[in-house]
Amino acid sequence: MKKKIYIRFLRLRQHMGLLWPILLNTVVLFIIFFIGSICYHYIEGWSLFDGFYMVLITLSTIGFGEVHTLSTAGKWLTIGIIFSGVAYFALLVGYIVQLASEGRFFQIMRRRRVDKAIAALSGHCVLCGFGLVGRVVAKELADDGVDVVVVENDAKKSEEIEEAGYFLVPGDATSDDVMQRVGLGHAKALVSAMSNDPANVYVVLSARAMNPDLYIVARASDNRHIHKLQTAGANRVILPHMLGGQTIAQAIQRPLVESFMSHQNRNDEVQLDEFEVTDTSPLVGKSLAEAALTKQDVIILAIKNAASPILQQPRAATVLHAGDVLLAAGDKTSLKALRTLM
């Protein structure tokens, strides 16, 4: 029983952080005020308010004088209050002034506001690392309307992250305390985009343990670490330098293909997108010919059946089922119209 109480005490202290000294001193002062007011009431016969007021002016060392004439017992009580409470009162006021002057108090309040906002999110993406790769990932996700929670320990990037409209959780992504604040339980995905592969492995392992259903994409700097990241729980492992090299080679050998792929996000050009057929979709049970998707200026490039991870070449007679994933090409307006049918 004592051990459980002690563990709860430690958890409360850890949760309060910088506010713990304020809480502790406030509790002690409350006890002193309560006991002092009661004692003045019974020793001197004062009202509880007069007793409270006497304790207040005594601890604050204002020196207004006694509320009423004190007896010898009352004087000894006042001496006890001075020795027991003045130091706590000074510490409490001094600590609050220190937090306010250093701006830490406002940082604490802002952190709690962010934590509340993250707790209310659902289907968001957690991004660990806001470097060259992380910036691009965050922007692309935000452009698609996905809420992004960024974990970054570089204070110099904080202003940039917040100005971009992302939720910031400052700290080391390999810390369990930090990862518990990002709302992994109700997140859609996690991207570990740090340049340190061992750190990415640890983050992936922790995130998978916290949410077995989370979709995780990890960055790797060395292809020797791909298997480790996958074993840790990553659904996809991306090597940015390899993709960059392939894009450069594609630009030389197949410039039209590369131009199409790199500019597909522009509003006035053809885009690629994927759609999952839901149980309530009107397309369920219809063939591609019956669905007449081409009338919506959309081309179905491939279909992934729910029972097979292999992309299949679509045919006019191919029947759509719930859980099928369609890879489609079209302009932004047409793809948006197709999404409404899903």
Side-chain angles (χ1 to χ4, degrees), residues 301-318:
L301 301 176
I303 297 178
K304 187 181 76 170
N305 190 280
S308 174
I310 302 175
L311 291 177
Q312 301 176 4
Q313 182 179 359
R315 302 181 182 279
T318 301

Side-chain angles (χ1 to χ4, degrees), residues 225-270:
H225 297 151
I226 294 178
H227 178 69
K228 295 178 181 178
L229 287 163
Q230 291 175 335
T231 303
N235 299 93
R236 289 286 303 277
V237 179
I238 306 296
L239 283 78
H241 66 278
M242 182 174 292
L243 291 179
Q246 291 173 345
T247 300
I248 293 173
Q250 192 86 314
I252 295 173
Q253 294 297 101
R254 303 170 183 84
L256 184 60
V257 174
E258 192 280 330
S259 178
F260 171 77
M261 296 300 296
S262 62
H263 294 87
Q264 59 174 297
N265 289 326
R266 293 183 180 177
N267 293 335
D268 56 347
E269 295 191 13
V270 177

Side-chain angles (χ1 to χ4, degrees), residues 7-221:
I7 292 175
R8 289 182 180 178
F9 174 80
L10 292 179
R11 287 178 179 174
L12 175 62
R13 182 174 181 176
Q14 184 178 21
H15 177 72
M16 294 298 296
L18 293 174
L19 296 180
W20 173 251
I22 295 179
L23 175 63
L24 182 62
N25 285 338
T26 301
V27 171
V28 173
L29 286 174
F30 176 81
I31 295 173
I32 293 173
F33 269 95
F34 179 78
I35 295 177
S37 301
I38 295 295
C39 288
Y40 278 122
H41 175 70
Y42 283 102
I43 293 175
E44 300 292 345
W46 298 354
S47 67
L48 291 177
F49 178 77
D50 284 345
F52 173 83
Y53 183 70
M54 184 65 184
V55 175
L56 177 62
I57 62 176
T58 300
L59 295 184
S60 60
T61 65
I62 292 177
F64 281 162
E66 299 168 357
V67 178
H68 303 289
T69 303
L70 288 170
S71 64
T72 301
K75 290 178 180 178
W76 280 111
L77 173 61
T78 304
I79 292 172
I81 291 174
I82 291 173
F83 278 107
S84 61
V86 169
Y88 282 105
F89 194 87
L91 285 173
L92 177 61
V93 174
Y95 193 73
I96 292 176
V97 171
Q98 180 185 359
L99 288 179
S101 62
E102 295 178 354
R104 298 169 75 184
F105 183 77
F106 298 102
Q107 291 176 4
I108 294 172
M109 299 304 294
R110 181 170 57 184
R111 168 181 167 175
R112 294 191 177 277
R113 286 198 301 270
V114 172
D115 286 348
K116 279 188 176 181
I118 293 175
L121 294 178
S122 180
H124 59 285
C125 179
V126 178
L127 171 63
C128 300
F130 197 73
L132 295 176
V133 174
R135 283 182 174 87
V136 177
V137 173
K139 184 180 183 304
E140 292 296 322
L141 289 172
D143 288 345
D144 283 341
V146 178
D147 292 313
V148 180
V149 177
V150 180
V151 180
E152 176 58 58
N153 60 0
D154 188 348
K156 297 179 181 178
K157 300 177 182 178
S158 299
E159 185 175 351
E160 178 186 354
I161 294 171
E162 291 177 340
E163 286 182 352
Y166 311 134
F167 295 94
L168 171 63
V169 176
D172 186 356
T174 60
S175 168
D176 290 341
D177 293 335
V178 172
M179 293 304 290
Q180 287 174 355
R181 295 176 51 201
V182 300
L184 286 180
H186 42 91
K188 173 184 179 181
L190 176 137
V191 178
S192 190
M194 295 177 289
S195 57
N196 187 319
D197 283 0
N200 285 330
V201 171
Y202 187 87
V203 169
V204 170
L205 189 64
S206 299
R208 179 58 68 207
M210 293 180 182
N211 186 351
D213 299 324
L214 188 68
Y215 188 82
I216 301 176
V217 179
R219 168 189 175 178
S221 302

